[in-house]
């Protein structure tokens, strides 16, 4: 559901200028692939290309999958288990709650290493605690997520840094796009994304219940979540997404 919501919101699975190459046949990595929806969708659309998915959890399909799709369990924060100059395109999205702030530069640096000269990297993230037209209850939720993320050393506002990470790693021809998606209003994407993100917010109950005892019980918190969803309709709230892509130079740059 999340995959198709993001695809619909952005109008495409990717924006890097590689359509023709994908049709002819290239090698692609999806970093932090989760259950593999992006890989499976792309593998079907571009049968001449080879797609590899990496994720720390083995939640992806291992047997029933296209012949041009492979998956591997691996923690990308530690390394990328592929040789130098191997991929033509690397895709990653929604690792905002998966990578520590100190890990981002090394991960993007590994993407540079494993990309072929002229290859492309594309990152897509959704920001927190920033929200367009944030109401009071959504403010409580977003601040709770931000608190947990910072306590774990994560980078909740990764959207405001991914372009910098790409640039500092040495990528060129960088393009960044910002997109706002409605929260629980406007269209089906807004409704489905709220349901998806609501699972994350539900896990915030112990933290919110400690700060706001009136929401501590399961019943009270469920009502709080319902009210937050209705508040988004009233305020016309919207999530903030950023997609940045850049190209590995054809000729190595001199330091």
């Amino acid at each position: 559901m999340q995959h198709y919501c993001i695809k619909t919101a952005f109008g495409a699975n990717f924006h890097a200028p590689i359509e023709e190459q994908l049709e002819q046949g290239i090698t692609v990595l999806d970093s932090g692939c989760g259950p593999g929806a992006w890989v499976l969708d792309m593998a079907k659309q571009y049968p001449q290309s080879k797609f590899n998915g990496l994720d720390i959890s083995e939640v992806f399909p291992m047997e029933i999958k296209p012949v041009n799709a492979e998956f591997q369990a691996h923690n990308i924060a530690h390394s990328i288990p592929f040789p130098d100059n191997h991929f033509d395109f690397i895709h990653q999205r929604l690792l905002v709650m998966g990578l520590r702030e100190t890990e981002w530069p090394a991960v993007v640096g590994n993407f540079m290493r494993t990309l072929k000269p002229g290859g492309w990297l594309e990152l897509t993230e959704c920001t927190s605690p920033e929200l367009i037209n944030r109401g009071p209850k959504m403010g409580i939720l977003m601040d709770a997520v931000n608190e947990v993320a910072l306590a774990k050393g994560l980078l909740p506002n990764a959207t405001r840094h991914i372009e910098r990470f790409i640039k500092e790693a040495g990528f060129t021809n960088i393009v960044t796009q910002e997109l706002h998606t409605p929260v629980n209003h406007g269209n089906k994407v807004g409704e489905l994304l709220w349901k998806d993100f609501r699972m994350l917010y539900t896990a915030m109950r112990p933290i919110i219940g400690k700060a706001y005892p009136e929401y501590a019980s399961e019943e009270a918190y469920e009502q709080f979540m319902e009210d937050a969803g209705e508040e988004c309709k009233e305020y016309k709230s919207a999530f903030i997404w950023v997609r940045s892509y850049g190209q590995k130079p054809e000729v190595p740059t001199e330091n």
Side-chain angles (χ1 to χ4, degrees):
M1 180 180 70
Q2 183 188 88
H3 164 70
Y4 287 102
C5 283
I6 297 172
K7 177 182 178 179
T8 300
F10 275 95
N13 273 325
F14 62 91
H15 278 97
I18 55 166
E19 178 82 24
E20 186 175 341
Q21 297 175 56
L22 284 164
E23 292 174 348
Q24 294 173 353
I26 57 175
T27 304
V28 179
L29 172 67
D30 186 21
S31 170
C33 66
W38 187 89
V39 168
L40 297 174
D41 195 17
M42 291 287 287
K44 181 179 179 181
Q45 186 174 357
Y46 301 101
Q48 301 304 314
S49 290
K50 174 70 173 181
F51 295 87
N52 298 268
L54 282 181
D55 198 89
I56 192 171
S57 300
E58 197 171 305
V59 294
F60 39 74
M62 293 299 293
E63 297 180 0
I64 303 176
K65 55 184 174 59
V67 296
N68 60 329
E70 294 292 338
F71 295 97
Q72 180 179 345
H74 188 82
N75 187 349
I76 63 161
H78 295 162
S79 64
I80 305 294
F82 291 95
D84 296 357
N85 307 317
H86 184 74
F87 294 107
D88 299 279
F89 178 46
I90 295 178
H91 169 267
Q92 178 180 285
R93 71 182 180 200
L94 289 183
L95 264 290
V96 62
M97 299 299 284
L99 290 175
R100 294 183 176 87
E101 182 175 3
T102 55
E103 294 168 338
W104 275 96
V107 169
V108 176
N110 274 324
F111 292 155
M112 172 66 84
R113 175 186 66 78
T114 53
L115 275 171
K116 298 175 183 177
W120 293 86
L121 168 66
E122 183 169 292
L123 306 177
T124 301
E125 292 294 342
C126 186
T127 196
S128 176
E130 212 176 339
L131 189 73
I132 302 296
N133 299 328
R134 195 176 85 159
K137 287 185 171 60
M138 280 302 293
I140 291 173
L141 283 170
M142 299 294 278
D143 288 343
V145 173
N146 189 61
E147 178 185 337
V148 170
L150 292 175
K152 293 183 177 182
L154 303 173
L155 189 64
N157 64 337
T159 52
R160 303 310 181 194
H161 299 273
I162 55 175
E163 180 178 321
R164 173 173 62 84
F165 290 145
I166 293 174
K167 184 176 181 179
E168 289 177 351
F171 287 89
T172 60
N173 300 320
I174 299 170
V175 175
T176 297
Q177 174 189 4
E178 182 171 307
L179 176 73
H180 302 160
T181 59
V183 184
N184 203 31
H185 68 90
N187 52 36
K188 194 65 175 179
V189 169
E191 177 185 336
L192 292 176
L193 280 175
W194 166 246
K195 290 182 179 179
D196 182 56
F197 276 79
R198 179 169 171 160
M199 290 187 290
L200 170 64
Y201 298 146
T202 298
M204 296 295 106
R205 182 163 72 93
I207 295 171
I208 292 175
K210 185 177 181 180
Y212 299 89
E214 64 270 31
Y215 303 135
S217 72
E218 184 175 347
E219 182 179 356
Y221 193 76
E222 179 62 26
Q223 185 60 54
F224 169 74
M225 292 297 300
E226 288 294 325
D227 293 343
E230 291 302 309
E231 177 185 270
C232 289
K233 296 178 183 178
E234 178 186 352
Y235 281 70
K236 304 301 180 187
S237 305
F239 290 124
I240 302 170
W241 300 78
V242 172
R243 174 170 287 178
S244 292
Y245 63 83
Q247 186 176 31
K248 180 174 180 176
E250 293 279 359
V251 179
T253 56
E254 296 183 2
N255 294 328

